[in-house]
PDB file of all heavy atoms in Angstrom:
ATOM      1  N   ILE A 927     -61.128 109.659  11.194  1.00  0.00           N
ATOM      2  CA  ILE A 927     -61.905 110.881  10.886  1.00  0.00           C
ATOM      3  C   ILE A 927     -62.382 111.489  12.157  1.00  0.00           C
ATOM      4  O   ILE A 927     -62.357 112.694  12.316  1.00  0.00           O
ATOM      5  CB  ILE A 927     -62.911 110.604   9.767  1.00  0.00           C
ATOM      6  CG1 ILE A 927     -62.239 110.102   8.535  1.00  0.00           C
ATOM      7  CG2 ILE A 927     -63.792 111.848   9.631  1.00  0.00           C
ATOM      8  CD1 ILE A 927     -63.344 109.780   7.413  1.00  0.00           C
ATOM      9  N   ALA A 928     -62.924 110.585  12.950  1.00  0.00           N
ATOM     10  CA  ALA A 928     -63.476 111.053  14.246  1.00  0.00           C
ATOM     11  C   ALA A 928     -62.664 111.786  15.121  1.00  0.00           C
ATOM     12  O   ALA A 928     -62.979 112.543  15.963  1.00  0.00           O
ATOM     13  CB  ALA A 928     -64.246 109.868  15.013  1.00  0.00           C
ATOM     14  N   THR A 929     -61.361 111.680  14.961  1.00  0.00           N
ATOM     15  CA  THR A 929     -60.407 112.338  15.782  1.00  0.00           C
ATOM     16  C   THR A 929     -60.023 113.738  15.268  1.00  0.00           C
ATOM     17  O   THR A 929     -59.299 114.493  15.815  1.00  0.00           O
ATOM     18  CB  THR A 929     -59.154 111.474  15.919  1.00  0.00           C
ATOM     19  OG1 THR A 929     -58.593 111.314  14.584  1.00  0.00           O
ATOM     20  CG2 THR A 929     -59.455 110.109  16.588  1.00  0.00           C
ATOM     21  N   GLN A 930     -60.550 114.137  14.059  1.00  0.00           N
ATOM     22  CA  GLN A 930     -60.205 115.348  13.524  1.00  0.00           C
ATOM     23  C   GLN A 930     -61.059 116.506  14.117  1.00  0.00           C
ATOM     24  O   GLN A 930     -62.275 116.377  14.220  1.00  0.00           O
ATOM     25  CB  GLN A 930     -60.379 115.398  11.963  1.00  0.00           C
ATOM     26  CG  GLN A 930     -59.616 114.217  11.287  1.00  0.00           C
ATOM     27  CD  GLN A 930     -58.203 114.461  11.489  1.00  0.00           C
ATOM     28  OE1 GLN A 930     -57.648 115.563  11.398  1.00  0.00           O
ATOM     29  NE2 GLN A 930     -57.510 113.316  11.755  1.00  0.00           N
ATOM     30  N   GLY A 931     -60.471 117.676  14.441  1.00  0.00           N
ATOM     31  CA  GLY A 931     -61.261 118.803  15.085  1.00  0.00           C
ATOM     32  C   GLY A 931     -62.358 119.365  14.229  1.00  0.00           C
ATOM     33  O   GLY A 931     -63.532 119.618  14.610  1.00  0.00           O
ATOM     34  N   TRP A 932     -61.996 119.506  12.931  1.00  0.00           N
ATOM     35  CA  TRP A 932     -63.020 120.130  11.978  1.00  0.00           C
ATOM     36  C   TRP A 932     -64.205 119.343  11.863  1.00  0.00           C
ATOM     37  O   TRP A 932     -65.400 119.748  11.894  1.00  0.00           O
ATOM     38  CB  TRP A 932     -62.373 120.325  10.609  1.00  0.00           C
ATOM     39  CG  TRP A 932     -61.886 119.025   9.939  1.00  0.00           C
ATOM     40  CD1 TRP A 932     -60.781 118.526   9.969  1.00  0.00           C
ATOM     41  CD2 TRP A 932     -62.758 118.270   9.061  1.00  0.00           C
ATOM     42  NE1 TRP A 932     -60.671 117.424   9.146  1.00  0.00           N
ATOM     43  CE2 TRP A 932     -61.980 117.261   8.664  1.00  0.00           C
ATOM     44  CE3 TRP A 932     -64.129 118.294   8.756  1.00  0.00           C
ATOM     45  CZ2 TRP A 932     -62.522 116.157   7.791  1.00  0.00           C
ATOM     46  CZ3 TRP A 932     -64.591 117.274   7.855  1.00  0.00           C
ATOM     47  CH2 TRP A 932     -63.801 116.330   7.448  1.00  0.00           C
ATOM     48  N   PHE A 933     -64.038 117.930  11.987  1.00  0.00           N
ATOM     49  CA  PHE A 933     -65.191 117.032  11.845  1.00  0.00           C
ATOM     50  C   PHE A 933     -66.101 117.158  13.101  1.00  0.00           C
ATOM     51  O   PHE A 933     -67.226 117.109  13.056  1.00  0.00           O
ATOM     52  CB  PHE A 933     -64.716 115.614  11.587  1.00  0.00           C
ATOM     53  CG  PHE A 933     -65.783 114.627  11.364  1.00  0.00           C
ATOM     54  CD1 PHE A 933     -66.532 114.559  10.306  1.00  0.00           C
ATOM     55  CD2 PHE A 933     -66.060 113.761  12.491  1.00  0.00           C
ATOM     56  CE1 PHE A 933     -67.449 113.597  10.117  1.00  0.00           C
ATOM     57  CE2 PHE A 933     -67.124 112.831  12.332  1.00  0.00           C
ATOM     58  CZ  PHE A 933     -67.701 112.750  11.144  1.00  0.00           C
ATOM     59  N   ILE A 934     -65.416 117.238  14.302  1.00  0.00           N
ATOM     60  CA  ILE A 934     -66.230 117.353  15.512  1.00  0.00           C
ATOM     61  C   ILE A 934     -67.125 118.667  15.525  1.00  0.00           C
ATOM     62  O   ILE A 934     -68.290 118.662  15.902  1.00  0.00           O
ATOM     63  CB  ILE A 934     -65.200 117.354  16.736  1.00  0.00           C
ATOM     64  CG1 ILE A 934     -64.582 115.973  16.761  1.00  0.00           C
ATOM     65  CG2 ILE A 934     -65.984 117.580  17.975  1.00  0.00           C
ATOM     66  CD1 ILE A 934     -63.460 115.856  17.858  1.00  0.00           C
ATOM     67  N   GLY A 935     -66.389 119.673  15.012  1.00  0.00           N
ATOM     68  CA  GLY A 935     -67.260 120.951  14.920  1.00  0.00           C
ATOM     69  C   GLY A 935     -68.385 120.921  13.973  1.00  0.00           C
ATOM     70  O   GLY A 935     -69.513 121.442  14.324  1.00  0.00           O
ATOM     71  N   LEU A 936     -68.178 120.393  12.859  1.00  0.00           N
ATOM     72  CA  LEU A 936     -69.230 120.141  11.862  1.00  0.00           C
ATOM     73  C   LEU A 936     -70.362 119.307  12.541  1.00  0.00           C
ATOM     74  O   LEU A 936     -71.587 119.681  12.340  1.00  0.00           O
ATOM     75  CB  LEU A 936     -68.711 119.525  10.580  1.00  0.00           C
ATOM     76  CG  LEU A 936     -69.632 119.312   9.507  1.00  0.00           C
ATOM     77  CD1 LEU A 936     -70.345 120.618   8.934  1.00  0.00           C
ATOM     78  CD2 LEU A 936     -69.057 118.492   8.314  1.00  0.00           C
ATOM     79  N   MET A 937     -70.173 118.294  13.095  1.00  0.00           N
ATOM     80  CA  MET A 937     -71.187 117.398  13.758  1.00  0.00           C
ATOM     81  C   MET A 937     -71.934 118.205  14.661  1.00  0.00           C
ATOM     82  O   MET A 937     -73.122 118.083  14.905  1.00  0.00           O
ATOM     83  CB  MET A 937     -70.518 116.130  14.299  1.00  0.00           C
ATOM     84  CG  MET A 937     -69.995 115.193  13.163  1.00  0.00           C
ATOM     85  SD  MET A 937     -71.191 114.581  12.042  1.00  0.00           S
ATOM     86  CE  MET A 937     -70.922 115.663  10.674  1.00  0.00           C
ATOM     87  N   CYS A 938     -71.263 118.922  15.569  1.00  0.00           N
ATOM     88  CA  CYS A 938     -71.940 119.733  16.639  1.00  0.00           C
ATOM     89  C   CYS A 938     -72.886 120.788  15.954  1.00  0.00           C
ATOM     90  O   CYS A 938     -74.043 120.994  16.532  1.00  0.00           O
ATOM     91  CB  CYS A 938     -70.919 120.485  17.463  1.00  0.00           C
ATOM     92  SG  CYS A 938     -70.029 119.326  18.533  1.00  0.00           S
ATOM     93  N   ALA A 939     -72.446 121.402  14.926  1.00  0.00           N
ATOM     94  CA  ALA A 939     -73.296 122.469  14.255  1.00  0.00           C
ATOM     95  C   ALA A 939     -74.612 121.743  13.629  1.00  0.00           C
ATOM     96  O   ALA A 939     -75.648 122.290  13.729  1.00  0.00           O
ATOM     97  CB  ALA A 939     -72.550 123.153  13.159  1.00  0.00           C
ATOM     98  N   ILE A 940     -74.373 120.558  12.953  1.00  0.00           N
ATOM     99  CA  ILE A 940     -75.530 119.986  12.413  1.00  0.00           C
ATOM    100  C   ILE A 940     -76.483 119.462  13.572  1.00  0.00           C
ATOM    101  O   ILE A 940     -77.745 119.608  13.394  1.00  0.00           O
ATOM    102  CB  ILE A 940     -74.977 118.700  11.568  1.00  0.00           C
ATOM    103  CG1 ILE A 940     -74.218 119.131  10.354  1.00  0.00           C
ATOM    104  CG2 ILE A 940     -76.275 117.795  11.175  1.00  0.00           C
ATOM    105  CD1 ILE A 940     -73.587 118.073   9.579  1.00  0.00           C
ATOM    106  N   ALA A 941     -75.973 118.968  14.609  1.00  0.00           N
ATOM    107  CA  ALA A 941     -76.886 118.551  15.800  1.00  0.00           C
ATOM    108  C   ALA A 941     -77.678 119.735  16.260  1.00  0.00           C
ATOM    109  O   ALA A 941     -78.900 119.616  16.561  1.00  0.00           O
ATOM    110  CB  ALA A 941     -75.999 117.898  16.835  1.00  0.00           C
ATOM    111  N   LEU A 942     -76.973 120.882  16.383  1.00  0.00           N
ATOM    112  CA  LEU A 942     -77.779 122.023  16.985  1.00  0.00           C
ATOM    113  C   LEU A 942     -78.788 122.527  15.935  1.00  0.00           C
ATOM    114  O   LEU A 942     -79.942 122.904  16.417  1.00  0.00           O
ATOM    115  CB  LEU A 942     -76.647 123.160  17.071  1.00  0.00           C
ATOM    116  CG  LEU A 942     -77.249 124.547  17.641  1.00  0.00           C
ATOM    117  CD1 LEU A 942     -77.893 124.326  19.051  1.00  0.00           C
ATOM    118  CD2 LEU A 942     -76.171 125.623  17.780  1.00  0.00           C
ATOM    119  N   LEU A 943     -78.565 122.531  14.660  1.00  0.00           N
ATOM    120  CA  LEU A 943     -79.537 122.888  13.679  1.00  0.00           C
ATOM    121  C   LEU A 943     -80.761 121.970  13.666  1.00  0.00           C
ATOM    122  O   LEU A 943     -81.911 122.346  13.649  1.00  0.00           O
ATOM    123  CB  LEU A 943     -78.925 122.920  12.292  1.00  0.00           C
ATOM    124  CG  LEU A 943     -79.858 123.320  11.183  1.00  0.00           C
ATOM    125  CD1 LEU A 943     -80.249 124.717  11.418  1.00  0.00           C
ATOM    126  CD2 LEU A 943     -79.043 123.312   9.774  1.00  0.00           C
TER     127      LEU A 943
END
Side-chain angles (χ1 to χ4, degrees):
I927 298 176
T929 60
Q930 303 299 317
W932 63 268
F933 182 77
I934 295 174
L936 177 63
M937 291 297 104
C938 291
I940 294 174
L942 180 60
L943 183 61

